[in-house]
Amino acid sequence: MAAAGDHGVQLAAGGPDSYRSPLASRYASPEMCFLFSDRYKFRTWRQLWLWLAEAEQTLGLPITDEQIQEMKSNLDNIDFTMAAEEEKRLRHDVMAHVHTFGHCCPRAAGIIHLGATSCYVGDNTDLIILRNAFDLLLPKLARVISRLADFAKERADLPTLGFTHYQPAQLTTVGKRCCLWIQDLCVDIQNVKRVRDDLRFRGVKGTTGTQASFLQLFEGDDQKVEQLDKMVTEKAGFKRAFIITGQTYTRKVDIEVLSVLAGLGASVHKICTDIRLLANLKELEEPFEKQQIGSSAMPYKRNPMRSERCCSLARHLMTLLMDPLQTASVQWFERTLDDSANRRICLAEAFLTADTILNTLQNISEGLVVYPKVIERHIRQELPFMATENIIMAMVKAGASRQDCHEKIRVLSQQAAAVVKQEGGDNDLIERIQADAYFSPIHSQLDRLLDPSSFIGRASQQVQRFLEEEVFPLLKPYESVMKVKAELCL
């Protein structure tokens, strides 16, 4: 086995005797894996060489129609074995593929890569892949938001305990809590769309970004060099290219790209952590299949493995942001090659990881199970304490002293809390109030004062307004793909 450096030979690997990235072999979707495959990468290199040759021919360089047609006919005719052998010999991946392409295009061999530097194919291909990868992620993110919006709308009125500091707080609703998740994802989809739309092509810039080689090819015709850059940029489907580059496009772009993906990772981690905590409370569960095993030792367990997977991979996604931050900070002058090996790993892994967690979260959101009776029991355990202010106000309206009533409630609350904490019993504060003659003026009002729906404020109205004004308009461009169901990988 030959050692492989940054320009080393990519050895065909697979099977049980070789390491394979779990992202590709276990988790990510086939379409995302294909975007980062060798076939897609090197086919795009050939496409870029074709676009360059077509533009150069249009602008007057001596390139024949026969050469162009020969290149077109061989875009997919990639001899990966030959390319690997050439790279091993030359220690240069781009030149290996120039030679391999030239081998099947003998008439065009002399004009392939004319005037270009390696980053013409390398960086421009990366930008094409990043754009297309965003295009795969955006509808998946939209579907997650849509599924959670359906869930929130259906349960907008269902009261549940709110938590601050993971301690029982005022009531909210199941739908309102879900809207907290949705709101974060709405920020993410807007950020992802912005970064995707802001991507610029590196274009046709030459070795250090000055376009000197192309200026020489066109005998000093500045306008033709400008036209060449614009033509290739348009062929690649970009609205604009960088005016200024070194040998590479600025690595600040990679920071922007991974930053929005890391932000998505943070959102998903928070959502799935909430789901895991609610699963422990038995108030909500992710989907659990009939033959699924929760534990090899404890048959009764229903572990939230999907949410755990999302949290696990989201942590990896968040940490990947450190790679482009450090890479951008150490790019010397017009370029240094210590970015290359790092970018081969972090860019692909970020998108495969984001793809995986969105597929998994969509699967979760399509099958969330709520247990209203458990939620109701938890409310009953805490609501008496939360209702004390309402009880005091009702007593004052009935003619009692606010201070006297407060002291009465304080003593009874401490007694009830001791039953819960020291004896493990149920909260019996209401029973104590009902048994105390002091509170007889409001005994008939207790059921109304303890109605959970009177403690949720404007939660249900907020859900409705949020979905109608912010969420549904945001999802409108993705309506055509909303019916696609998530396929959970291993």
Side-chain angles (χ1 to χ4, degrees), residues 183-199:
Q183 182 166 251
D184 287 350
L185 295 176
C186 285
V187 172
D188 293 320
I189 198 170
Q190 290 170 310
N191 286 339
V192 169
K193 183 70 164 60
R194 171 183 55 79
V195 172
R196 183 259 181 237
D197 291 345
D198 284 349
L199 285 175

Side-chain angles (χ1 to χ4, degrees), residues 381-440:
Q381 290 170 348
E382 301 294 340
L383 192 59
F385 295 138
M386 298 176 191
T388 53
E389 185 175 5
N390 288 2
I391 292 171
I392 291 172
M393 293 301 101
M395 283 292 292
V396 170
K397 287 179 182 179
S401 162
R402 191 251 177 214
Q403 276 62 250
D404 290 345
C405 185
H406 182 278
E407 178 60 19
K408 284 276 189 179
I409 289 283
R410 187 189 70 81
V411 172
L412 295 180
S413 295
Q414 294 293 335
Q415 292 170 354
V419 171
V420 173
K421 295 178 179 178
Q422 297 174 19
E423 300 176 19
D426 292 332
N427 187 335
D428 62 359
L429 176 59
I430 300 305
E431 287 82 354
R432 291 174 186 274
I433 291 173
Q434 288 172 329
D436 192 322
Y438 175 83
F439 293 98
S440 58

Side-chain angles (χ1 to χ4, degrees), residues 216-481:
Q216 184 175 6
L217 280 174
F218 289 104
E219 298 179 351
D221 191 328
D222 184 78
Q223 187 176 2
K224 283 190 175 181
V225 176
E226 281 279 323
Q227 286 180 292
L228 178 69
D229 201 0
K230 184 178 179 181
M231 288 172 67
V232 176
T233 298
E234 289 176 350
K235 285 174 181 289
F238 285 81
K239 293 181 180 178
R240 55 183 183 154
F242 286 103
I243 297 172
I244 296 295
T245 73
Q247 190 173 85
T248 69
Y249 67 78
T250 171
R251 295 314 185 211
K252 294 282 284 187
V253 173
D254 296 344
I255 296 175
E256 286 288 300
V257 169
L258 265 68
S259 180
V260 294
L261 297 183
L264 172 63
S267 299
V268 174
H269 199 293
K270 184 265 192 292
I271 293 167
C272 291
T273 299
D274 284 358
I275 292 172
R276 292 163 66 191
L277 293 170
L278 291 168
N280 172 261
L281 296 174
K282 297 181 173 59
E283 291 189 1
L284 180 144
E285 280 185 343
E286 64 178 36
F288 198 91
E289 296 164 18
K290 287 184 178 180
Q291 293 185 323
Q292 182 175 333
I293 294 173
S295 168
S296 61
M298 295 166 279
Y300 60 88
K301 293 194 74 179
R302 292 169 67 97
N303 298 335
M305 56 80 66
R306 291 165 170 83
S307 298
E308 290 172 321
R309 174 184 296 178
C310 283
C311 288
S312 182
L313 291 174
R315 287 199 300 273
H316 178 58
L317 180 55
M318 289 185 280
T319 62
L320 286 173
L321 178 56
M322 290 305 300
D323 278 338
L325 282 169
Q326 296 189 62
T327 293
S329 72
V330 297
Q331 286 301 286
W332 300 350
F333 303 112
E334 281 65 48
R335 191 268 169 98
T336 178
L337 196 63
D338 67 353
D339 64 338
S340 181
N342 186 289
R343 295 177 68 255
R344 288 174 192 261
I345 299 167
C346 71
L347 294 178
E349 288 210 350
F351 278 96
L352 266 65
T353 304
D355 179 74
T356 300
I357 62 177
L358 286 178
N359 288 340
T360 310
L361 185 55
Q362 182 184 337
N363 177 268
I364 293 170
S365 61
E366 288 172 350
L368 285 172
V369 180
V370 178
Y371 295 104
K373 293 297 183 182
V374 178
I375 293 173
E376 183 182 345
R377 185 173 75 247
H378 290 159
I379 290 174
R380 287 200 309 268
Q381 290 170 348
E382 301 294 340
L383 192 59
F385 295 138
M386 298 176 191
T388 53
E389 185 175 5
N390 288 2
I391 292 171
I392 291 172
M393 293 301 101
M395 283 292 292
V396 170
K397 287 179 182 179
S401 162
R402 191 251 177 214
Q403 276 62 250
D404 290 345
C405 185
H406 182 278
E407 178 60 19
K408 284 276 189 179
I409 289 283
R410 187 189 70 81
V411 172
L412 295 180
S413 295
Q414 294 293 335
Q415 292 170 354
V419 171
V420 173
K421 295 178 179 178
Q422 297 174 19
E423 300 176 19
D426 292 332
N427 187 335
D428 62 359
L429 176 59
I430 300 305
E431 287 82 354
R432 291 174 186 274
I433 291 173
Q434 288 172 329
D436 192 322
Y438 175 83
F439 293 98
S440 58
I442 63 161
H443 282 168
S444 62
Q445 302 178 41
L446 285 175
D447 286 345
R448 178 179 60 81
L449 294 172
L450 289 165
D451 181 1
S453 64
S454 66
F455 289 83
I456 62 174
R458 299 187 63 253
S460 56
Q461 293 94 323
Q462 289 177 346
V463 170
Q464 181 177 354
R465 184 183 170 197
F466 172 61
L467 295 179
E468 290 179 355
E469 294 184 17
E470 298 189 27
V471 178
F472 295 146
L474 197 62
L475 297 179
K476 198 165 185 61
Y478 306 98
E479 285 179 344
S480 63
V481 296

Side-chain angles (χ1 to χ4, degrees), residues 56-329:
E56 289 174 336
Q57 181 196 45
T58 300
L59 292 170
L61 292 188
I63 295 173
T64 67
D65 290 342
E66 186 180 36
Q67 289 173 314
I68 295 293
Q69 186 55 49
E70 190 178 49
M71 293 173 73
K72 280 184 181 179
S73 300
N74 285 281
L75 291 177
D76 296 301
N77 181 24
I78 303 174
D79 187 335
F80 289 97
T81 301
M82 176 182 289
E85 291 170 352
E86 285 292 314
E87 187 174 351
K88 185 177 181 180
R89 181 174 68 87
L90 301 172
R91 313 307 294 179
H92 196 289
D93 55 352
V94 173
M95 287 308 298
H97 279 270
V98 168
H99 289 189
T100 302
F101 195 18
H103 180 78
C104 57
C105 300
R107 294 180 180 86
I111 56 94
I112 293 172
H113 199 66
L114 183 59
T117 188
S118 297
C119 286
Y120 167 70
V121 288
D123 272 29
N124 284 326
T125 292
D126 286 345
L127 289 162
I128 290 170
I129 290 173
L130 294 180
R131 179 195 63 194
N132 295 349
F134 275 137
D135 287 343
L136 284 180
L137 290 184
L138 280 164
K140 294 185 179 189
L141 179 49
R143 287 197 293 266
V144 170
I145 294 171
S146 175
R147 303 304 191 266
L148 290 175
D150 292 341
F151 179 88
K153 185 176 181 180
E154 184 179 344
R155 296 162 180 84
D157 302 322
L158 180 59
T160 189
L161 277 179
F163 290 91
T164 59
H165 315 276
Y166 200 37
Q167 302 300 313
Q170 286 189 348
L171 299 191
T172 183
T173 69
V174 172
K176 170 65 187 296
R177 173 178 286 147
C178 183
C179 285
L180 296 176
W181 304 340
I182 296 170
Q183 182 166 251
D184 287 350
L185 295 176
C186 285
V187 172
D188 293 320
I189 198 170
Q190 290 170 310
N191 286 339
V192 169
K193 183 70 164 60
R194 171 183 55 79
V195 172
R196 183 259 181 237
D197 291 345
D198 284 349
L199 285 175
R200 284 189 276 177
F201 205 49
R202 177 192 176 273
V204 183
K205 297 296 193 297
T207 306
T208 57
T210 65
Q211 298 176 303
S213 58
F214 297 104
L215 196 62
Q216 184 175 6
L217 280 174
F218 289 104
E219 298 179 351
D221 191 328
D222 184 78
Q223 187 176 2
K224 283 190 175 181
V225 176
E226 281 279 323
Q227 286 180 292
L228 178 69
D229 201 0
K230 184 178 179 181
M231 288 172 67
V232 176
T233 298
E234 289 176 350
K235 285 174 181 289
F238 285 81
K239 293 181 180 178
R240 55 183 183 154
F242 286 103
I243 297 172
I244 296 295
T245 73
Q247 190 173 85
T248 69
Y249 67 78
T250 171
R251 295 314 185 211
K252 294 282 284 187
V253 173
D254 296 344
I255 296 175
E256 286 288 300
V257 169
L258 265 68
S259 180
V260 294
L261 297 183
L264 172 63
S267 299
V268 174
H269 199 293
K270 184 265 192 292
I271 293 167
C272 291
T273 299
D274 284 358
I275 292 172
R276 292 163 66 191
L277 293 170
L278 291 168
N280 172 261
L281 296 174
K282 297 181 173 59
E283 291 189 1
L284 180 144
E285 280 185 343
E286 64 178 36
F288 198 91
E289 296 164 18
K290 287 184 178 180
Q291 293 185 323
Q292 182 175 333
I293 294 173
S295 168
S296 61
M298 295 166 279
Y300 60 88
K301 293 194 74 179
R302 292 169 67 97
N303 298 335
M305 56 80 66
R306 291 165 170 83
S307 298
E308 290 172 321
R309 174 184 296 178
C310 283
C311 288
S312 182
L313 291 174
R315 287 199 300 273
H316 178 58
L317 180 55
M318 289 185 280
T319 62
L320 286 173
L321 178 56
M322 290 305 300
D323 278 338
L325 282 169
Q326 296 189 62
T327 293
S329 72

